[in-house]
Amino acid sequence: MICARFLLLLNLLLCLAQESVQGGSIGFCYGRKGDNLPSPQLVAQIAVKESISKLRIYDYDQNVISAFAGTDISLIITIPNEELSNFQSEQQADNWVNHVLLPLTQSVKIELVTVGVEVITLTPEFSQYVLPAMMSIHTGLTKANLADQIKVSTANSMGVLQSSFPPSSGAFNESIKTAYMQPILDYLKAIGSVYMVNAYPYHAYMAESDDIALDYALFDPKDEVMDSGTNIAYTSLLTAQLDAVYFALEAMGHGELSVIVSETGWPTKGDSDESVANVQNAATYNNNLLMLVQNDTGTPRRPGQPLNAYIFSLFNEDEKTGKESERNWGVFSVDGTSFYYLDIEGTSNGAPQSFNGTGATWCVASPAASNESLEAGLNYACGEGNADCGPIQPGNPCFLPDSYFSHASYAYNSYYQRSGDNSAACNFGGSAMITTKDPSYGACIYPSE
């Protein structure tokens, strides 16, 4: 009896341990407003090849969803805004769950149904249908024994907030918080679901570029931004936006709700007045987002809390209207190659930084290293290490500035590159560090693989 109880307790502890170490995750938004996109079957192959484990789809097209059968890719599917009126009764929802959703779940992993997208801000004429549709669909899922497997929610933009800065002032718009937001939040709590927000630092920067620093929007600010209400320092616009959402939820009595970033990203191309929409900034934003998620950094309001986020988007969508940037949020081209390096598997470590978009890395001296350790590392690299130290000799392009830090950086990188950019080759007694920011300057060019 004692042995049996011990085994039962051990199994319980193991289950709790597994739950506690479950971290955040990154997914991609799979929009299809393009006339040149690959087939869903090819998209599934691309996603598997790129180690993408989650996708968000903007409808419930059975042909598209079934393309992911037999993969480990988990899907968020969507009831489009214009169809919400078709899900007002239990009978309507039951019919959809039993004839559309249930057959798909036999071979496809579906984790969430989004009931509308930014309904109150994009199509307010449909807002009356959101909560009844959520309730009908969840009831249908419960009847089909799918409610534990598939959550129900709705996605909102940051536009539902009346105030988002400073983050501690976060509050829902007065015109919608009582009649629209409160019942939805109450229901999300009742069914154990999550709050979904589409958060775009790019749009916030473009709207207020005189007040928001670009590097702050890209996760790598020169100066922290203080919240005067809490004296909390923020190092990224996205975490400030999320904390504004958390404060708004708390003000409504729902601080218990988890938040999914259902859309975020950065465009690679824009009109003449959108010069910040470029490949380097997109690479910087999305790679730093990946580090935020993979490191389970959380936000200042909820430090260490795992974050799930979906990058918008998988592909460019050339049939979208509006400014050029609207058609150029994609990470991958239609042949499956990426427009820039993206560390989906989390091989990079360290603080957020500027990414060059190529995946190149360099080894440089650590700013914290002493001259003594740099001298020792420099002597090893240029001697036994067979690094190319010619460029740092007097009269050559990398001699100036004549300092241990500068000379060691060049020598360390030469040794590192000749070692096949193996991270183990960038140590030098702890006096070196790997960077994705090209340290080249003037005529002094640091080689990279």
Side-chain angles (χ1 to χ4, degrees):
M1 179 66 71
I2 294 176
C3 183
R5 288 177 179 174
F6 174 76
L7 290 175
L8 181 61
L9 177 61
L10 180 61
N11 285 333
L12 177 61
L13 290 172
L14 287 172
C15 288
L16 291 173
Q18 287 174 347
E19 290 181 4
S20 67
V21 300
Q22 185 177 10
S25 64
I26 278 285
F28 281 81
C29 298
Y30 173 24
R32 306 198 310 280
K33 292 185 178 179
D35 61 7
N36 60 346
L37 299 179
S39 68
Q41 291 73 22
L42 183 55
V43 172
Q45 294 176 24
I46 293 170
V48 170
K49 175 179 175 291
E50 297 295 335
S51 301
I52 295 171
S53 61
K54 293 175 178 285
L55 286 176
R56 181 184 174 195
I57 297 173
Y58 290 87
D59 55 22
Y60 54 86
D61 187 306
Q62 292 162 279
N63 291 326
V64 173
I65 296 171
S66 61
F68 298 91
T71 71
D72 285 328
I73 297 170
S74 183
L75 302 181
I76 291 178
I77 65 173
T78 304
I79 307 298
N81 296 7
E82 62 274 13
E83 294 188 33
L84 295 178
S85 61
N86 298 330
F87 292 83
Q88 298 302 289
S89 71
E90 287 189 19
Q91 182 179 357
Q92 289 172 310
D94 289 349
N95 183 63
W96 180 77
V97 168
N98 292 325
H99 293 94
V100 176
L101 201 58
L102 185 58
L104 289 169
T105 60
Q106 306 306 308
S107 57
V108 182
K109 295 173 66 175
I110 299 173
E111 65 172 280
L112 194 149
V113 177
T114 303
V115 180
V117 178
E118 300 184 7
V119 179
I120 194 66
T121 48
L122 289 181
T123 55
E125 65 272 22
F126 298 137
S127 61
Q128 62 184 307
Y129 302 127
V130 175
L131 183 56
M134 291 174 63
M135 298 173 72
S136 296
I137 292 171
H138 177 72
T139 299
L141 291 171
T142 301
K143 293 176 183 177
N145 294 317
L146 292 173
D148 290 337
Q149 174 184 334
I150 303 174
K151 294 184 183 296
V152 174
S153 188
T154 185
N156 288 302
S157 72
M158 289 293 295
V160 298
L161 297 188
Q162 182 167 304
S163 173
S164 61
F165 186 82
S168 59
S169 71
F172 288 105
N173 194 297
E174 287 290 338
S175 64
I176 63 170
K177 74 174 189 179
T178 301
Y180 183 74
M181 292 305 307
Q182 188 72 63
I184 288 177
L185 298 179
D186 291 345
Y187 190 64
L188 291 176
K189 176 184 179 181
I191 63 174
S193 192
V194 296
Y195 184 84
M196 301 176 72
V197 60
N198 297 343
Y200 286 98
Y202 171 80
H203 289 316
Y205 171 80
M206 291 298 294
E208 301 181 58
S209 57
D210 290 340
D211 299 317
I212 298 175
L214 178 60
D215 53 8
Y216 177 62
L218 295 173
F219 292 90
D220 190 22
K222 294 181 178 64
D223 300 303
E224 296 177 331
V225 176
M226 296 297 297
D227 183 323
S228 58
T230 59
N231 288 324
I232 291 176
Y234 285 86
T235 58
S236 77
L237 180 52
L238 180 66
T239 54
Q241 289 179 322
L242 290 177
D243 273 1
V245 172
Y246 290 138
F247 275 104
L249 291 172
E250 291 167 15
M252 300 287 279
H254 285 295
E256 80 288 337
L257 290 176
S258 296
V259 172
I260 290 178
V261 182
S262 41
E263 287 181 18
T264 192
W266 200 278
T268 58
K269 185 180 179 182
D271 288 328
S272 58
D273 60 345
E274 300 177 298
S275 60
V276 298
N278 59 56
V279 169
Q280 179 165 342
N281 286 343
T284 296
Y285 180 85
N286 284 328
N287 276 291
N288 284 332
L289 170 68
L290 281 161
M291 276 197 281
L292 174 72
V293 171
Q294 292 160 350
N295 294 342
D296 287 332
T297 306
T299 70
R301 186 63 177 173
R302 297 191 182 182
Q305 179 166 315
L307 180 66
N308 296 323
Y310 287 76
I311 294 175
F312 191 88
S313 65
L314 207 57
F315 304 107
N316 289 337
E317 297 175 83
D318 63 358
E319 292 184 334
K320 283 192 168 182
T321 58
K323 298 184 76 65
E324 184 66 20
S325 61
E326 286 300 305
R327 294 177 286 280
N328 289 280
W329 290 80
V331 172
F332 297 94
S333 66
V334 294
D335 65 1
T337 58
S338 59
F339 292 118
Y340 51 84
Y341 169 73
L342 196 62
D343 188 20
I344 296 174
E345 297 187 83
T347 57
S348 296
N349 294 306
Q353 53 197 293
S354 177
F355 283 75
N356 53 55
T358 65
T361 57
W362 294 263
C363 178
V364 295
S366 168
S370 65
N371 281 341
E372 289 76 17
S373 61
L374 292 176
E375 181 180 19
L378 180 63
N379 289 337
Y380 174 82
C382 294
E384 185 180 341
N386 292 317
D388 177 13
C389 295
I392 58 176
Q393 301 306 311
N396 288 331
C398 301
F399 176 69
L400 297 177
D402 183 12
S403 67
Y404 282 119
F405 179 83
S406 180
H407 289 182
S409 289
Y410 189 90
Y412 286 2
N413 185 65
S414 175
Y415 177 82
Y416 171 70
Q417 300 298 338
R418 290 186 174 197
S419 302
D421 64 9
N422 186 328
S423 59
C426 186
N427 187 285
F428 295 95
S431 67
M433 57 180 281
I434 294 173
T435 180
T436 56
K437 186 174 183 179
D438 189 349
S440 302
Y441 58 93
C444 179
I445 305 301
Y446 280 56
S448 66
E449 288 293 330

